Amino acid sequence: METDFLPPHLRKYVVEQHYEKYTPVDQAVWRYILRQLKSFLSKHAHECYVEGLNKTGIDIERIPRIDDISKKLQQFGWRALPVSGFIPPAAFMELQSLGVLPIASDMRTLDHLLYTPAPDIVHEAAGHAPILIHPEFSEYLRQYAQVAKKAIISKQDLDLYEAIRELSDLKENPASTSEQIKNAEATLEKVSKSITHISEASELSRMNWWTAEYGLIGTLENPKIFGAGLLSSVGESKWCLSSNVKKIPLTVDCIKVGYDITEPQPQLFVAPDFKTLSKVLDEMAEQMAYRVGGLQGLKKAIEAESVNTAQLNSGIQISGQIVEAITTAKNEIAYLRLQGPSQLCYADKQLSGHGKDYHAHGFGTPVGFLKEFPGKCPSTFTDSEWMSLQVENGKSVTLTYTSGVVVTGTVQGRLVKDGKTLLLTLTNAKAEFQGRVLFAPEWGTFDMAIGSSVPSVFGGPADREAYGETSDFVAKRVPAPKYSEQELKMHMHYGSVRKLREDKTHGAELSSALEKILKEHKEIAPQDWLLLMEALELVKARDPQSSLKSQLEADLALLAKKDEKTRGLIHDGLLLSETL
């Protein structure tokens, strides 16, 4: 599997698909879902969907190999890679910004055939991949990923992600106990209720939900489906177009509407075309800290209590947890304070010697103009202008900012890149503002970032690879399931029926083989309806005069009385049982 093109810090999220782990039951579930989806969506999805299934190599008959999807997607400027279920939002967006569609290779179970809130190959492959062939939607998704990479994600967001991932992993692990799952559900509920503000990342998550996941396109009266959550859900793809779901024109205000992943959506947003998605995204981006910057952007970062980056107008980038923006009486930024591991960068690359190990306990710097050159950014000072201020190695210096910040110390160095001064290094330094000590000589060397304003504040460290993870991530390692003797027999029966279909067996030979398989199957799985459905499809197509046909119809009618969900699945299956 080719991952060399990825930055090293993203490679750990990529896993092997392990195609051999899919059972014949998994393959039958995939086949049922894809038959239903293709039949319904050929009429009700955006016109590129069915075309996209074909062009991305997604076949009804069997679960796709992600490597095969990737090869097909490359002609549309994308690749696909298998990942470990829920991965951190920042990593997911960074992969998409690189033209990679992350695909969780897990397959939903027969019990969750209609819908699963966890990432799985039906959702990722049959939902997301086909729409990527449309150039305008593909461009929107790339733009979205670029914007989302800059979004400020809060500590509360990260806590919620961890709680969701923990619960998802436990539910997919056959070794998990009911008590473990119950405790994880309680933790998720507690974390959800503790969220006090909506971050930029949360707002963008909502935009993604109402567009790429649950978006409709066209007119309010006759919308078509394009969101992957709808395209991969047999139940919701039908429900969403009914009058039970309110249809709202898509605007940037969609970011104000929350959602519940465990419930069908009461309203959906309709875009007139794919270009509108990019327009709405740009309206959202105009409100974000990476474009707004200044005190407004810094306040968002401070509120988030996470690792973010303040970029000064010189280009120097200061990454870490921003805890304070000290201001003047006129509300102008005078000084920035960060706590914990911090990093200094330029053009998204860490400056030599200025990683989080060196700045392990935080960072602080004045921001603004010097009184000798008011209105001129210090980063653009000439060598002679710096010399006029006594900024020469070994000399004592006093720098007075128009904000009132005063810095004294002995000059040890001045870092210049692309003709701009980015950093001054002082020893025996002191920084004060209105009687408050901001830096004291006993704290060590004082590295001052140079810049007069903060035009951009964005989420995460500027050099993600050099900074490392802001939180731990261990790829999911769900142990290989240990199937009971009964389950192994079920797999064998499903495999035998699949072989009959693939071998084109027909007539009396087919019915005779099916009768034997179904007799054994009924003894071990009397409530299973899907194998009966597959058998009925074969009999109708290849031995329609067989007495087995009426027997199977009667058995399915009996199972349909079990509950409403099963009745609906059987009903939908019977509608398509005439064709193979």
Side-chain angles (χ1 to χ4, degrees), residues 35 533 536-538 540-541 572-579:
R35 275 168 59 79
M533 184 66 66
L536 181 60
E537 289 173 11
L538 286 169
K540 281 185 173 182
D572 290 346
L574 289 173
L575 291 178
L576 291 182
S577 64
E578 302 294 338
T579 59

Side-chain angles (χ1 to χ4, degrees), residues 523-573:
E523 292 176 1
I524 63 164
Q527 299 302 311
D528 180 40
W529 60 270
L530 183 55
L531 190 70
L532 274 63
M533 184 66 66
E534 294 222 319
L536 181 60
E537 289 173 11
L538 286 169
V539 172
K540 281 185 173 182
R542 299 180 185 173
D543 192 16
Q545 303 306 315
S546 170
S547 60
L548 183 58
K549 175 176 172 290
S550 57
Q551 181 60 53
L552 283 166
E553 290 173 337
D555 288 346
L556 284 167
L558 194 62
L559 289 172
K561 296 178 181 179
K562 178 183 173 185
D563 54 54
E564 186 176 347
K565 175 184 170 184
T566 304
R567 181 163 57 254
L569 291 168
I570 290 174
H571 173 267
D572 290 346

Side-chain angles (χ1 to χ4, degrees), residues 122-409:
V122 176
H123 174 79
E124 312 284 9
H128 281 294
I131 305 296
L132 286 176
I133 72 161
H134 195 288
E136 289 175 354
F137 178 77
S138 178
E139 179 59 23
Y140 163 70
L141 210 57
R142 282 182 182 277
Q143 291 174 0
Y144 176 87
Q146 293 290 353
V147 171
K149 264 186 17 175
K150 299 286 189 180
I152 292 175
I153 186 168
S154 70
K155 182 180 181 298
Q156 293 176 349
D157 294 330
L158 295 171
D159 291 343
L160 181 64
Y161 155 73
E162 289 295 344
I164 291 172
R165 184 172 188 266
E166 175 67 18
L167 178 59
S168 174
D169 288 356
L170 283 170
K171 284 186 172 182
E172 292 177 27
N173 187 342
S176 299
T177 65
S178 57
E179 184 178 359
Q180 287 175 317
I181 293 173
K182 185 178 179 181
N183 289 339
E185 288 173 337
T187 298
L188 176 57
E189 184 178 3
K190 181 180 178 182
V191 171
S192 298
K193 288 181 177 178
S194 70
I195 291 177
T196 57
H197 78 283
I198 304 301
S199 69
E200 288 183 346
S202 293
E203 290 177 332
L204 274 166
S205 175
R206 290 174 174 182
M207 180 169 288
N208 182 67
W209 185 267
W210 299 125
T211 58
E213 293 292 349
Y214 276 76
L216 299 176
I217 191 166
T219 65
L220 294 179
E221 296 73 27
N222 185 31
K224 301 291 185 182
I225 298 169
F226 77 90
L230 298 172
L231 293 173
S232 59
S233 172
V234 175
E236 284 219 77
S237 64
K238 296 179 179 179
W239 166 262
C240 76
L241 296 178
S242 72
S243 58
N244 296 308
V245 178
K246 185 179 180 182
K247 314 301 189 300
I248 305 169
L250 179 70
T251 68
V252 72
D253 287 340
C254 71
I255 65 175
K256 298 175 183 177
V257 182
Y259 57 87
D260 182 349
I261 66 172
T262 66
E263 298 290 338
Q265 306 310 312
Q267 77 284 304
L268 293 174
F269 293 87
V270 184
D273 49 43
F274 285 132
K275 285 185 178 179
T276 298
L277 304 182
S278 295
K279 179 184 175 183
V280 170
L281 174 64
D282 194 57
E283 289 179 36
M284 165 64 190
E286 285 297 317
Q287 307 172 22
M288 292 174 61
Y290 86 98
R291 290 194 185 177
V292 174
L295 197 56
Q296 182 180 340
L298 290 168
K299 284 180 177 178
K300 283 188 176 185
I302 292 167
E303 188 177 33
E305 299 182 327
S306 55
V307 174
N308 296 294
T309 298
Q311 182 167 313
L312 306 192
N313 58 342
S314 60
I316 192 168
Q317 298 161 318
I318 309 163
S319 301
Q321 185 182 341
I322 303 169
V323 293
E324 187 179 13
I326 300 172
T327 59
T328 67
K330 295 181 179 179
N331 229 22
E332 296 170 342
I333 301 165
Y335 198 91
L336 294 183
R337 281 203 318 115
L338 291 79
Q339 73 177 19
S342 302
Q343 172 197 63
L344 302 183
C345 298
Y346 180 70
D348 297 336
K349 292 295 180 184
Q350 183 172 290
L351 295 174
S352 178
H354 290 284
K356 66 179 186 178
D357 292 335
Y358 179 68
H359 297 290
H361 303 294
F363 185 81
T365 188
V367 177
F369 301 108
L370 292 171
K371 72 173 186 177
E372 289 84 356
F373 300 97
K376 183 172 183 179
C377 180
S379 68
T380 64
F381 288 180
T382 63
D383 290 344
S384 61
E385 286 172 329
W386 281 117
M387 289 175 67
S388 72
L389 296 170
Q390 302 298 307
V391 177
E392 297 180 66
N393 286 356
K395 286 192 175 183
S396 296
V397 67
T398 297
L399 300 173
T400 303
Y401 283 78
T402 57
S403 64
V405 172
V406 178
V407 178
T408 60

